[in-house]
Amino acid sequence: MKTAVYFFSSRLRAFLFPLLCLPALWGCENPSLTSGVVASVNGQAVSYREMETRRINLFAGRSAEAQNWSEVEIRAQYRYVINQIIEELIICQYMENKQFVPEPDSLDMEEQRIRKDYPEGVFEQMLMEEGIHFDEWRESLRRRLVIKQFLAQVLRPEITITADEVHQYFTTHNDDFFIPEQWHFIQISGLDKKTVENARNSFIANRNATTVQKEFLISVHDVRMGKDRLPEDLYKEIVPLEIWQGSRVKAVDDGFRTVVLIEKSSATMLEPTEMAKRVEHALVEDKMRVLYAAWMEQRLARANIRLASSFFLEHASEEESGTPLLMRHNATSH
């Protein structure tokens, strides 16, 4: 599993960085920014290498489409990335000023947890292929832990959930707590039709998939899935089957296939405790989005943010050429 430590879940990311392309953050190029530095946030520098590494990691990867981006699209990517970094730094600076620090050894523990997803030596190779320096990767990981702590210890205590809100959410999203009928079946595949047929019969007789796979040159897949999510061809094969009955052997693109139905679980509702968890999570996430945006708006208004505009603006007008790069959020917005 490839881990991009710069980012959180897609839903969380949608409100963690909502203030994209704020005009108040863009000024003309300032000669006081040193070479290789594209921005500073309250005096803390952001290097071009950090910005470019993240842009490539987020937008380019190994996609051939990366070569076809227009200049406008690339500048938009820079704006997106620099806003992420600015917001991260503002949060981390706030947490440091308030003396909120991650738990001792939490950074090392998180690093080791991520490394376990990779075979030995592959993690370092992945960083090298992505052009990511280890120190930069570890700093991004540290920021992620700080932001997680910020959400849990600073914003979350400000959120309250009422009984009326819970009732309203459950009523509006009732279908989210419904588990459709689940089918459990074994899929047997192979290159020879007779072998697949014999394996099916053997499995129905002894009900031991491991033994069957050792005896026959076939592949066995144990599948549990809601019937509404099944591909149409599989659905049609399973519908007429009784429990522990197998379908006829069918020719497919890569050989032959049969399925043996093991169980059909009736549609049901989630357990009350699980429903309560899901409702709370959804309501907290919605309120967190609003709370985060308001908090960040206030912090940006007081932040000292300098940007080298040549990276972010399509064109710098003559009027802009004399504008100082020290920008305040409330200076040009609203």
Side-chain angles (χ1 to χ4, degrees), residues 101-303:
V101 294
E103 293 294 324
D105 302 325
S106 61
L107 182 57
D108 291 335
M109 292 173 61
E110 184 67 7
E111 178 185 332
Q112 291 306 313
R113 184 189 68 80
I114 292 171
R115 283 180 176 272
K116 287 180 181 178
D117 291 331
Y118 298 86
E120 186 175 355
V122 174
F123 176 77
E124 289 79 3
Q125 181 181 351
M126 180 274 295
L127 291 182
M128 183 174 63
E129 290 177 352
E130 297 291 342
I132 302 172
H133 291 258
F134 176 75
D135 290 344
E136 293 174 350
W137 178 88
R138 190 171 166 88
E139 170 60 18
S140 294
L141 180 60
R142 185 192 70 81
R143 289 185 198 169
R144 188 176 88 171
L145 294 176
V146 172
I147 294 172
K148 182 179 179 181
Q149 186 182 27
F150 166 76
L151 296 174
Q153 297 184 10
V154 177
L155 295 190
R156 180 60 181 88
E158 299 295 320
I159 296 174
T160 57
I161 305 296
T162 67
D164 287 343
E165 288 173 326
V166 171
H167 176 74
Q168 178 63 34
Y169 187 91
F170 181 80
T171 301
T172 307
H173 301 82
N174 189 54
D175 290 345
D176 294 349
F177 309 103
F178 178 78
I179 303 175
E181 183 176 337
Q182 302 286 304
W183 289 355
H184 180 198
F185 59 93
I186 294 293
Q187 179 176 295
I188 301 173
S189 306
L191 299 177
D192 179 73
K193 181 178 180 180
K194 189 62 177 178
T195 300
V196 172
E197 185 177 292
N198 291 337
R200 178 200 61 195
N201 296 339
S202 177
F203 174 65
I204 293 174
N206 61 41
R207 301 190 178 185
N208 189 318
T210 303
T211 300
V212 171
Q213 194 162 21
K214 290 179 179 179
E215 183 179 354
F216 298 93
L217 190 61
I218 45 90
S219 62
V220 175
H221 297 282
D222 190 328
V223 182
R224 296 174 186 267
M225 187 178 294
K227 71 174 186 179
D228 58 319
R229 296 176 54 206
L230 286 168
E232 184 178 359
D233 58 340
L234 268 176
Y235 179 85
K236 290 180 178 180
E237 289 180 56
I238 297 174
V239 162
L241 299 180
E242 300 292 336
I243 303 302
W244 285 106
Q245 183 180 6
S247 68
R248 65 179 182 83
V249 177
K250 177 182 178 181
V252 291
D253 292 339
D254 54 351
F256 297 89
R257 179 186 74 200
T258 182
V259 294
V260 178
L261 180 63
I262 297 176
E263 181 185 19
K264 287 184 177 181
S265 301
S266 301
T268 185
M269 298 292 289
L270 289 172
E271 293 293 328
T273 54
E274 180 62 25
M275 284 193 286
K277 287 180 183 178
R278 293 196 181 189
V279 171
E280 181 182 9
H281 177 78
L283 290 174
V284 166
E285 191 170 79
D286 287 342
K287 292 192 174 190
M288 186 77 79
R289 181 182 298 109
V290 176
L291 189 60
Y292 175 89
W295 185 93
M296 185 58 67
E297 185 86 4
Q298 293 176 358
R299 303 305 297 187
L300 284 171
R302 299 194 294 269

Side-chain angles (χ1 to χ4, degrees), residues 10 19-20 26 78 82 99 135 157 179 202 256 303:
S10 58
L19 308 176
L20 302 180
W26 316 122
Y78 279 132
I82 201 66
Q99 297 185 336
D135 290 344
I179 303 175
S202 177
F256 297 89

